[in-house]
């Protein structure tokens, strides 16, 4: 068993399910709103490098309004309609990674807390493929005022979970947002490898654990 951890926390997008399973479902939706998504991606890239703000949603809307040349309220409505509400039906139909539920159940059975920290609202994922009720804490980084890899966000999350940062193993798929962010906050990290790393047998040196599937993660953490 990985020593000195009391909790395992998970990212959602790209971590609980493969990104490609969502991407193939939203191709035509994204093309329909291509101008919006290009500008929204630009704004989110800025927000990933922005210090914590008092009201994330207001600040995001203001930046997007400047980009679209509309009012803050119009920008907020577009984001809510196209991103937060618009993507929800697609996410409900995406299949998760194999063995993820049994892994979370095994972690809890061993006495570890399990939690979620995602950059998008976890409410978009409905029951999170049957795992929602298993988690001790579910948070979106936006509620803390800053997106990952903000150290502030990871530390606020740890405080809310009631576990010291050094006692948390954070599981993610994004090197910049998940692995670097969690490590900067003092957490241990587990990286779910993309297909090409699995094929070439190239683990991520930055992460404490690199794993191919969730049964392997369960064995590494608990055995």
């Amino acid at each position: 068993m990985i020593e000195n951890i009391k909790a395992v926390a998970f990212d959602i997008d790209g971590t609980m399910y493969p990104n490609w399973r969502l991407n193939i479902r939203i191709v035509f939706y994204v093309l329909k709103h291509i101008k919006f998504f290009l500008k929204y991606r630009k704004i989110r890239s800025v927000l990933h490098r922005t210090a914590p703000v008092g009201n994330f949603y207001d600040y995001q809307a203001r930046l997007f309004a400047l980009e679209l040349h509309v009012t803050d309220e119009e920008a907020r409505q577009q984001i809510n309609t196209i991103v937060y509400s618009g993507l929800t039906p697609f996410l409900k139909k995406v299949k998760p990674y194999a063995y993820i539920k049994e892994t979370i159940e095994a972690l809890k059975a061993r006495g570890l807390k399990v939690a979620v920290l995602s950059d998008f609202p976890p409410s978009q994922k409905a029951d999170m493929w049957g795992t929602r009720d298993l988690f001790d804490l579910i948070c979106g980084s936006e509620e803390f005022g800053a997106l990952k890899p903000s150290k502030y966000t990871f530390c606020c999350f740890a405080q809310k979970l009631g576990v010291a940062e050094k006692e948390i193993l954070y599981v993610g798929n994004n090197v910049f947002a998940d692995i670097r962010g969690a490590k900067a906050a003092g957490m241990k990290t587990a990286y779910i490898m993309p297909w090409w790393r699995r094929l070439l047998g190239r683990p991520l040196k930055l992460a404490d654990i690199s794993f191919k599937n969730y049964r392997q993660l369960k064995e590494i953490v608990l055995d």
Side-chain angles (χ1 to χ4, degrees):
M1 181 175 177
I2 298 293
E3 296 182 354
N4 303 318
I5 64 166
K6 295 182 179 178
V8 180
F10 297 81
D11 170 52
I12 298 180
D13 302 294
T15 298
M16 294 186 72
Y17 67 86
N19 279 325
W20 66 265
R21 289 183 182 170
L22 175 62
N23 292 339
I24 61 175
R25 289 183 176 276
I26 64 173
V27 169
F28 295 111
Y29 182 77
V30 171
L31 289 175
K32 179 181 177 181
H33 302 286
I34 189 63
K35 290 183 179 179
F36 170 92
F37 278 109
L38 288 173
K39 291 182 181 295
Y40 185 68
R41 183 177 181 180
K42 178 181 177 181
I43 293 302
R44 293 288 285 200
S45 179
V46 172
L47 289 169
H48 276 292
R49 295 169 172 81
T50 300
V53 295
N55 188 312
F56 178 89
Y57 297 107
D58 284 349
Y59 187 65
Q60 177 179 245
R62 180 171 297 179
L63 290 181
F64 201 53
L66 292 172
E67 190 71 25
L68 293 179
H69 304 291
V70 297
T71 66
D72 291 4
E73 183 56 31
E74 287 171 330
R76 179 191 287 270
Q77 288 178 358
Q78 286 195 43
I79 293 170
N80 288 340
T81 300
I82 297 175
V83 179
Y84 295 136
S85 298
L87 292 177
T88 298
F90 298 100
L91 286 158
K92 289 179 180 178
K93 297 177 181 178
V94 172
K95 289 181 63 177
Y97 274 114
Y99 318 127
I100 189 164
K101 186 177 181 180
E102 72 173 56
T103 297
I104 294 167
E105 289 173 335
L107 295 171
K108 281 191 71 73
R110 196 65 69 91
L112 295 170
K113 286 187 175 183
V114 291
V116 163
L117 176 63
S118 172
D119 266 343
F120 284 98
S123 58
Q124 282 185 304
K125 286 79 180 182
D127 72 345
M128 290 166 55
W129 308 283
T131 67
R132 180 176 289 275
D133 291 340
L134 298 173
F135 289 105
D136 297 285
L137 177 66
I138 298 174
C139 294
S141 61
E142 294 164 320
E143 68 187 75
F144 296 119
L147 301 180
K148 297 180 292 184
S150 170
K151 180 178 178 180
Y152 173 84
T153 291
F154 280 102
C155 291
C156 286
F157 170 74
Q159 184 177 35
K160 193 169 184 178
L161 184 58
V163 179
E165 290 85 351
K166 65 181 180 180
E167 296 174 324
I168 298 173
L169 175 69
Y170 189 76
V171 184
N173 73 301
N174 186 293
V175 177
F176 169 72
D178 298 327
I179 306 305
R180 292 188 184 278
K183 286 194 78 69
M187 297 179 184
K188 296 179 176 66
T189 56
Y191 175 67
I192 184 165
M193 294 188 289
W195 68 269
W196 63 271
R197 282 189 180 273
R198 297 197 301 268
L199 182 64
L200 298 176
R202 294 187 60 184
L204 180 69
K205 294 181 180 179
L206 180 64
D208 297 284
I209 298 169
S210 291
F211 65 100
K212 298 177 181 180
N213 61 62
Y214 276 95
R215 277 189 174 164
Q216 183 185 37
L217 177 67
K218 179 178 66 174
E219 292 170 359
I220 294 170
V221 174
L222 298 180
D223 291 351

